[in-house]
Amino acid sequence: MAIVTARKQNETPLHNRIRTHLLAAMKSGQLRPGDRVPSEWQLAEQFAVSRMTARQALSDLTMSGYLQRRRGKGTFVAPEKLEQSLGNLTGFTHDIRRRGLTPHTQVLGAGSIPAGRRMALALDVGPEESLYVLERLRLVDGEPLALETAYIPARLAPALLTCEGLSESLYKVLAEHYGIRLARAAQVVEVVPAGPHESRHLRVGEGTPLLRLERVARDATGRPVELAHSYYRGDRYRFTTDMSRWKEE
Amino acid sequence: MAIVTARKQNETPLHNRIRTHLLAAMKSGQLRPGDRVPSEWQLAEQFAVSRMTARQALSDLTMSGYLQRRRGKGTFVAPEKLEQSLGNLTGFTHDIRRRGLTPHTQVLGAGSIPAGRRMALALDVGPEESLYVLERLRLVDGEPLALETAYIPARLAPALLTCEGLSESLYKVLAEHYGIRLARAAQVVEVVPAGPHESRHLRVGEGTPLLRLERVARDATGRPVELAHSYYRGDRYRFTTDMSRWKEE
DNA sequence: CAGTGGTCTAGACCACTAG
DNA sequence: TAGTGGTCTAGACCACTGG
């Protein structure tokens, strides 16, 4: 006995149609950021499919960053993205305030570790040398948006972790307490899926696409001062960058 | 009658364990880029779960960019990422060759359209003015990696589309035929899910995370010359950028 | 408590790929 | 033809949220 499927072969998959329907509603403005979308059961009934099929449509849109799901509450249209410059690092706190939002920083951890092979190479120190580690969670209006970990050679900034203001601007502390001014940096931007750690702190599902920034910052002499990697919620952030020197082909 | 589930409540979900197992195998090197991973049925049997549960683990890892699935063939570990500079735009062809790979460009479309409100603003032309549109697919070793669409005011480069070499370097053509040299550009980088169009040309599933670049390039006088948006496969690309001028907080 | 999303099963038919 | 992934069903129990 054949199981009845509510579509003919070679037609658009059913979960695809539901997804398209929801996307259209978002584009037209019927569904706005923050709105609740119909529940899995409601969609299943509306489109005459099983709950698992409706669920797949919602899961796809969630993984894509269009929707956010909250157990026990419902599924909601995701808010719009914030923008951050890769060129002038004006700092998170300053940057968010300028947009009229409320920034908050939570220091998750501070300590020191031996550099190890990989970081020793990037920071131009010995593999046994001590690095300060500073892990901070950046929140906007109470919502965690970025997870930043910075590594600084302890030799360059003795007793760094006892300084005040680390929850605001690390660069400000480096400048005011140690006379270290960062002059330039190399950065790498990529998409990575959230791992367990990022997932927990940013409160997104594991595997959610995040923007990962890796940065090596140097002072005017070219000496590496900071190695940092940051994870930004891909559904909430976009980066801007300016090219001034253009190399011809 | 209760359905038997092969785990106690409050324990790690089964699909999660399978995912972790595969990730560990990839990290340890047991599974290398290009390798085939066990099929859905094999994993289901190995972990004593239903096929749908094994499938969810594979789907998660695929959406995250760790795996690639090919119907009728199997599921494979994804290859490693290519790197591209956001600072010196040396051009795709040149860039890929330098890595010892074989670049190829396919012109998908070339024509002209009225600017419209949005693009007129970015390119500083009237909304009725004509723009040339050039859509190109960039491939490496036969695999499509990026989809680029460029818009150039027709007034700046009359008969642009009849020029040769457009499948190589647009900037080279602008420089050699029209004396236009691009001096700087503003770019926006973000993660977006693949839509139907990108999905088809880049041969990835809809919703796959892509890196989207939007660029407005200007000549030395500051006149906007090109508006472009490009979609790069997020699992194959990473961008590098250099900061030289550092703004203090 | 009812409603939500999260997990899981044991089946089914299909399209695609390779030998 | 056998094996793969793609789609889909009709159930089930669970944890979490709110009133």
Side-chain angles (χ1 to χ4, degrees):
Chain A
M1 159 57 177
I3 286 188
V4 181
T5 301
R7 94 181 145 108
K8 292 170 186 159
Q9 315 311 140
N10 283 326
E11 280 191 352
T12 313
L14 298 174
H15 69 263
N16 208 310
R17 295 187 210 173
I18 301 175
R19 197 176 59 193
T20 305
H21 171 262
L22 291 172
L23 279 172
M26 283 187 268
K27 193 167 186 183
S28 75
Q30 289 168 50
L31 281 174
R32 309 197 139 275
D35 285 358
R36 222 187 86 177
V37 307
S39 74
E40 297 175 348
W41 283 110
Q42 286 170 343
L43 282 173
E45 188 177 12
Q46 184 181 339
F47 285 85
V49 298
S50 75
R51 181 191 161 213
M52 285 303 283
T53 300
R55 181 175 172 74
Q56 184 174 351
L58 292 177
S59 290
D60 286 352
L61 290 170
T62 301
M63 286 302 290
S64 298
Y66 289 112
L67 301 179
Q68 296 178 353
R69 324 184 73 174
R70 288 170 218 158
R71 174 157 33 176
K73 294 176 110 174
T75 304
F76 302 83
V77 178
E80 284 171 5
K81 290 183 180 181
L82 292 168
E83 208 160 273
Q84 175 171 308
S85 170
L86 287 178
N88 337 308
L89 202 51
T90 45
F92 175 85
T93 302
H94 178 270
D95 223 52
I96 297 298
R97 278 221 183 89
R98 202 158 46 89
R99 289 181 173 71
L101 302 171
T102 308
H104 184 62
T105 298
Q106 193 177 318
V107 176
L108 295 181
S112 60
I113 56 164
R117 216 177 60 82
R118 211 182 77 87
M119 288 197 280
L121 214 64
L123 286 170
D124 193 23
V125 298
E128 309 295 340
E129 262 201 66
S130 186
L131 304 180
Y132 288 128
V133 186
L134 181 63
E135 187 176 29
R136 297 178 294 181
L137 186 66
R138 308 293 209 167
L139 305 96
V140 173
D141 291 344
E143 190 185 11
L145 291 194
L147 183 64
E148 307 184 338
T149 309
Y151 302 88
I152 296 106
R155 182 163 44 84
L156 298 183
L160 172 69
L161 300 181
T162 64
C163 296
E164 292 195 4
L166 284 181
S167 70
E168 291 276 315
S169 173
L170 170 60
Y171 301 137
K172 202 171 176 182
V173 170
L174 285 173
E176 294 181 354
H177 285 65
Y178 302 94
I180 296 175
R181 283 185 170 70
L182 298 175
R184 58 178 202 272
Q187 295 189 126
V188 179
V189 185
E190 63 187 320
V191 188
V192 300
H197 185 68
E198 297 85 54
S199 166
R200 188 168 56 254
H201 286 107
L202 294 174
R203 290 187 218 143
V204 298
E206 280 190 47
T208 302
L210 302 177
L211 278 168
R212 180 180 189 274
L213 238 77
E214 183 164 330
R215 175 177 60 237
V216 177
R218 299 163 186 269
D219 64 14
T221 71
R223 181 179 57 175
V225 173
E226 181 212 34
L227 169 66
H229 41 249
S230 311
Y231 297 88
Y232 294 82
R233 286 185 49 168
D235 58 337
R236 302 300 314 279
Y237 255 97
R238 47 193 295 188
F239 295 113
T240 62
T241 170
D242 286 302
M243 267 187 282
S244 49
R245 301 138 305 157
W246 200 286
K247 201 176 281 181
E248 295 197 19
E249 203 170 2
Chain B
M1 158 55 177
I3 285 189
V4 180
T5 301
R7 93 179 145 108
K8 293 172 184 157
Q9 317 310 141
N10 283 325
E11 280 191 354
T12 313
L14 297 175
H15 69 263
N16 209 310
R17 294 186 209 174
I18 301 176
R19 197 177 58 195
T20 305
H21 171 261
L22 291 172
L23 279 172
M26 283 186 269
K27 193 167 188 183
S28 75
Q30 289 167 49
L31 282 174
R32 306 197 141 277
D35 286 357
R36 223 188 86 177
V37 306
S39 75
E40 297 175 346
W41 284 111
Q42 286 170 343
L43 282 173
E45 189 177 11
Q46 183 182 338
F47 285 85
V49 298
S50 75
R51 180 191 162 215
M52 285 303 283
T53 301
R55 181 176 171 71
Q56 184 175 350
L58 291 177
S59 290
D60 286 352
L61 290 170
T62 301
M63 286 302 290
S64 299
Y66 288 111
L67 301 178
Q68 296 178 353
R69 325 185 72 175
R70 289 169 216 158
R71 171 153 43 171
K73 296 176 108 172
T75 304
F76 302 83
V77 179
E80 285 171 4
K81 290 184 179 182
L82 292 167
E83 208 160 273
Q84 176 171 309
S85 169
L86 287 178
N88 336 311
L89 203 51
T90 45
F92 176 84
T93 303
H94 179 271
D95 223 52
I96 297 297
R97 279 222 183 89
R98 202 158 46 88
R99 289 180 173 73
L101 302 171
T102 309
H104 183 64
T105 299
Q106 195 177 317
V107 175
L108 296 181
S112 60
I113 56 165
R117 217 176 56 84
R118 213 182 75 88
M119 289 196 280
L121 216 63
L123 286 170
D124 194 23
V125 298
E128 310 294 340
E129 261 201 68
S130 186
L131 305 180
Y132 288 129
V133 187
L134 181 62
E135 186 175 30
R136 296 179 293 181
L137 187 66
R138 308 292 208 169
L139 305 95
V140 173
D141 292 342
E143 191 185 10
L145 291 193
L147 183 65
E148 308 183 339
T149 309
Y151 301 89
I152 296 104
R155 182 164 43 84
L156 299 183
L160 172 69
L161 300 181
T162 65
C163 295
E164 292 194 2
L166 283 183
S167 70
E168 291 275 313
S169 173
L170 170 60
Y171 301 138
K172 203 173 175 182
V173 171
L174 285 173
E176 294 180 357
H177 286 64
Y178 302 95
I180 297 175
R181 281 183 172 71
L182 299 176
R184 57 179 203 269
Q187 295 190 126
V188 179
V189 184
E190 63 186 320
V191 188
V192 300
H197 186 66
E198 297 85 53
S199 166
R200 187 168 59 253
H201 286 107
L202 294 174
R203 290 188 217 143
V204 298
E206 281 190 47
T208 301
L210 302 177
L211 277 168
R212 181 180 189 276
L213 237 78
E214 183 164 331
R215 175 176 62 237
V216 177
R218 298 162 187 270
D219 64 14
T221 71
R223 180 179 57 175
V225 173
E226 181 212 36
L227 169 66
H229 42 249
S230 310
Y231 297 88
Y232 293 82
R233 285 184 49 169
D235 57 339
R236 301 300 313 279
Y237 255 98
R238 47 194 295 188
F239 295 114
T240 61
T241 172
D242 286 302
M243 267 189 280
S244 49
R245 300 138 306 158
W246 201 288
K247 201 174 282 179
E248 294 197 18
E249 203 170 4

